[in-house]
Amino acid sequence: MIDETPGEAAVGSVFDPERPESTYLLEPELVAPLVARISSSQSAGTHRSTCPFTGGPLATIPVSSSADVTAAVERGRLAQRVWARTDLSVRSRVLDNLARIVLVRQSEVLDLIQLETGKARRSAFDEVGDIAQVARHYAVKARRYLSTDRPAGMIPLVTGVRVQRRPVGVVGAIAPWNYPLTLVLSEALPALVAGNAVVVKPDPQTTLTALWAAEALEEAGLPAGLFQVVAGGRETGEALVDAADHVAFTGSTEAGRKVAARAGERLVGATLELGGKNAIYIADDVDVDTALPGVVRACFASTGQLCLSAERIVVHEAVADEFVAKLVRDVRNLRLGAGLDYTADVGSLTSAAQLTKVSAHVDDAIARGAVVLAGGVHRSDVGPYFYAPTVLDDVPSDALVAREETFGPVVSVTRVRSDDEAVAVMNDSEYGLHMSVWSGDTARARKVADQIEAGSVSINDGYVLTWGSVGAPTGGWKASGLGRRHGRSSVEAMTQTRTVVTARGAGRGLGIETVFALEGAAPSRILSAALEGMRKLRIP
Ligand code: NAD
């Protein structure tokens, strides 16, 4: 049965400025068993997370020292040896169970996600839906992704080739705060089903959600030691990069470069999912009313703190006036709110730092001549970090908001005269994560999509269908990342191949050594004839 009970904390009523401790919104009985799961010797101090809805304290989290991280990786390595030999059907069943559990227990984790990130519940549900999707996908497809390949050998028939996939060992997953359930699990699940152990380092602000994921995986049947959580910030992350056998990093481009360099020193793999400056193109044959709900969601879901969300709208001048007028109307109608229920469309920014950055980007654009069509103000009347969904026009190309990732509820509009101009504007960015193209003519939209420099392009959809198509790779071009996530890509990144080649018939005089044993130029002549024959027969 799915527990659809809305969260118990009506956030506004719990906050009591006379009693600061009352802003610990979560019951200690709920927090204590979660926090007890952290791999920490309690020697490295604590971190106090903040509830974005109130600005008050949410939980006190013991930080993991470098030694704690190393110990967690070692524990993982021991557990992994047994797990890698455990039948794949057992490993897959854990994921299948998780896909069910995350739906059944959704109200608990939705509360945690909202309280840690400040996002609206409908955006929090994106994460629940995503994990149900990813877990089911790998439960079903793992056998195919992990199966032994049998490519053609050097000499047909007498060379047998088997390419096996084996887990790398312990995967270190480092995640940001914006999608705290999705981003601790979406790489961990393919890692686990492939026979790895995982040590996760969530952002300090969103540790509780990661701990809930650990609890849910245990309920799903995952043996101890295979999914551990270490807590802390950059230093804890660095210790994990120094110990893991593969690093799955999601976060900023700046930190991603450092993680890649560190992993490179150790010659361990790193997949990097980084920042973006995503754009939406609205062609002149679009039905504006049909497109708008998806466009608005693409810009403001998760308060714009979503790696795939759009911060630039490029609109054909023929529909620009109608589109912009209706966009502004719909954006002004978005409901902001802090409730643990489905009444709000848009929630809070996650931290004071995010509020500072978003305000700075908007103020800079205004100072350079941009026009605010909607929003552009801090909504402290709703909560300390709320910022009104914002639409900017006439943004000059040297404004921060034109080039840098804002990571907030701010979108700027640019008018173009043709598809070619739209492609040029969209590609004019150091980033290349995700773009979307909206047109009444799918063939035309595909032609535009084919010229986009990004890891994914949605047609007539903001991001939902692309992110949810978990069998297909996603990731970034340019400064948006390295490596790919989802589908076969994640499994390939977190396994290593072992190629076993058998000389068939060697004992019966049919092997290559029989040819090499011949005198003089005979071996070269025979091999030359064989190679030419294989070329003519188009043998791969
Ligand atoms: P961040 O890079 O500051 O932090 C991300 C995580 O890395 C945190 O857990 C942090 O503690 C850790 N970390 C930071 N520096 C580290 C280092 N040198 N070594 C090891 N770990 C380190 O990112 P943020 O600002 O908190 O998150 C927002 C960013 O994440 C945005 O740029 C957003 O676009 C990006 N993001 C990308 C994707 C994607 O799939 N491409 C998804 C979500 C978020």
Side-chain angles (χ1 to χ4, degrees):
M1 197 189 91
I2 293 173
D3 179 4
E4 257 308 331
T5 326
E8 281 176 15
V11 172
S13 68
V14 172
F15 180 51
D16 177 356
E18 300 300 317
R19 295 188 310 118
E21 73 282 5
S22 72
T23 64
Y24 276 90
L25 286 158
L26 292 161
E27 295 299 329
E29 305 85 77
L30 195 145
V31 175
L34 288 177
V35 167
R37 290 178 176 274
I38 297 174
S39 300
S40 169
S41 55
Q42 318 256 344
S43 62
T46 55
H47 168 83
R48 210 167 65 170
S49 59
T50 300
C51 177
F53 289 144
T54 64
L58 183 63
T60 302
I61 309 281
V63 170
S64 308
S65 66
S66 298
D68 294 335
V69 174
T70 312
V73 170
E74 287 309 318
R75 266 195 306 279
R77 213 161 257 137
L78 283 180
Q80 185 268 334
R81 291 205 186 108
V82 179
W83 181 241
R85 290 196 300 271
T86 303
D87 196 83
L88 180 55
S89 61
V90 175
R91 303 203 304 251
S92 299
R93 199 173 313 129
V94 170
L95 270 62
D96 189 55
N97 290 342
L98 182 74
R100 178 177 46 77
I101 290 166
V102 77
L103 292 175
V104 171
R105 291 178 56 186
Q106 61 179 273
S107 74
E108 291 166 40
V109 71
L110 288 172
D111 285 0
L112 285 179
I113 293 171
Q114 283 199 274
L115 291 171
E116 290 197 317
T117 66
K119 66 175 74 177
R121 203 165 187 83
R122 55 183 61 233
S123 296
F125 181 79
D126 283 358
E127 304 198 47
V128 166
D130 175 58
I131 292 310
Q133 180 91 342
V134 171
R136 189 200 69 240
H137 176 80
Y138 285 107
V140 174
K141 293 287 276 196
R143 193 163 295 282
R144 174 169 292 195
Y145 291 158
L146 291 164
S147 66
T148 297
D149 277 347
R150 291 189 167 71
M154 176 177 163
I155 303 173
L157 304 177
V158 297
T159 320
V161 180
R162 289 184 306 142
V163 181
Q164 305 162 336
R165 291 214 156 264
R166 291 295 176 264
V168 291
V170 180
V171 170
I174 301 177
W177 40 264
N178 66 321
Y179 269 65
L181 184 69
T182 280
L183 296 174
V184 298
L185 282 177
S186 61
E187 291 286 79
L189 296 179
L192 288 169
V193 84
N196 295 289
V198 177
V199 176
V200 167
K201 194 213 78 67
D203 188 274
Q205 172 61 25
T206 51
T207 312
L208 295 178
T209 305
L211 294 165
W212 185 90
E215 188 185 281
L217 272 166
E218 185 181 289
E219 186 186 332
L222 188 71
L226 291 167
F227 183 91
Q228 298 172 82
V229 178
V230 292
R234 180 178 51 78
E235 285 176 17
T236 314
E238 287 173 347
L240 187 53
V241 177
D242 288 345
D245 302 313
H246 176 90
V247 182
F249 176 85
T250 312
S252 62
T253 296
E254 191 189 353
R257 288 185 208 278
K258 295 191 178 111
V259 167
R262 212 168 173 115
E265 277 292 316
R266 295 188 54 234
L267 294 179
V268 300
T271 26
L272 308 166
E273 299 284 341
L274 309 177
K277 191 73 196 174
N278 312 316
I280 284 175
Y281 174 45
I282 306 292
D284 54 356
D285 58 358
V286 142
D287 181 293
V288 170
D289 294 317
T290 310
L292 267 168
V295 170
V296 171
R297 186 167 25 259
C299 300
F300 301 105
S302 221
T303 326
Q305 299 174 130
L306 161 63
C307 59
L308 299 179
S309 68
E311 299 192 348
R312 302 181 290 154
I313 294 180
V314 179
V315 56
H316 196 289
E317 62 179 7
V319 285
D321 289 346
E322 180 196 358
F323 177 82
V324 172
K326 289 181 172 170
L327 173 72
V328 169
R329 177 201 63 195
D330 289 359
V331 171
R332 285 188 183 146
N333 283 338
L334 289 171
R335 292 162 303 179
L336 269 64
L340 300 184
D341 55 30
Y342 284 98
T343 50
D345 300 311
V346 178
S348 173
L349 289 165
T350 299
S351 62
Q354 280 299 108
L355 176 66
T356 304
K357 186 176 180 196
V358 169
S359 306
H361 275 208
V362 173
D363 293 348
D364 168 78
I366 294 169
R368 290 171 196 271
V371 176
V372 178
L373 299 179
V377 286
H378 175 200
R379 289 290 306 273
S380 53
D381 54 312
V382 191
Y385 311 141
F386 277 81
Y387 197 89
T390 299
V391 182
L392 299 175
D393 204 354
D394 293 333
V395 173
S397 60
D398 59 351
L400 292 174
V401 85
R403 311 212 72 81
E404 289 185 13
E405 184 185 46
T406 305
F407 219 50
V410 180
V411 68
S412 46
V413 175
T414 305
R415 290 163 181 76
V416 292
R417 272 161 294 186
S418 66
D419 292 357
D420 286 347
E421 191 183 348
V423 169
V425 170
M426 292 167 94
N427 287 342
D428 181 20
S429 169
E430 68 163 314
Y431 295 108
L433 189 61
H434 178 72
M435 308 277 179
S436 90
V437 178
W438 298 70
S439 164
D441 175 351
T442 308
R444 173 182 174 185
R446 286 209 179 111
K447 222 168 125 194
V448 173
D450 289 348
Q451 300 171 73
I452 296 293
E453 296 166 359
S456 56
V457 185
S458 297
I459 293 176
N460 293 335
D461 173 53
Y463 66 92
V464 177
L465 296 178
T466 300
W467 182 250
S469 299
V470 295
T474 56
W477 287 26
K478 307 192 230 177
S480 288
L482 203 61
R484 292 291 178 266
R485 162 181 297 170
H486 281 167
R488 188 180 287 279
S489 308
S490 291
V491 171
E492 285 183 351
M494 294 181 287
T495 50
Q496 47 200 341
T497 56
R498 178 169 56 210
T499 298
V500 179
V501 179
T502 309
R504 292 199 191 112
R508 298 193 300 277
L510 296 171
I512 188 111
E513 286 305 326
T514 314
V515 177
F516 286 143
L518 298 173
E519 290 295 322
S524 309
R525 272 202 305 276
I526 292 170
L527 287 173
S528 298
L531 288 167
E532 179 57 8
M534 284 163 72
R535 186 187 68 78
K536 286 185 175 148
L537 291 170
R538 299 189 60 74
I539 292 172

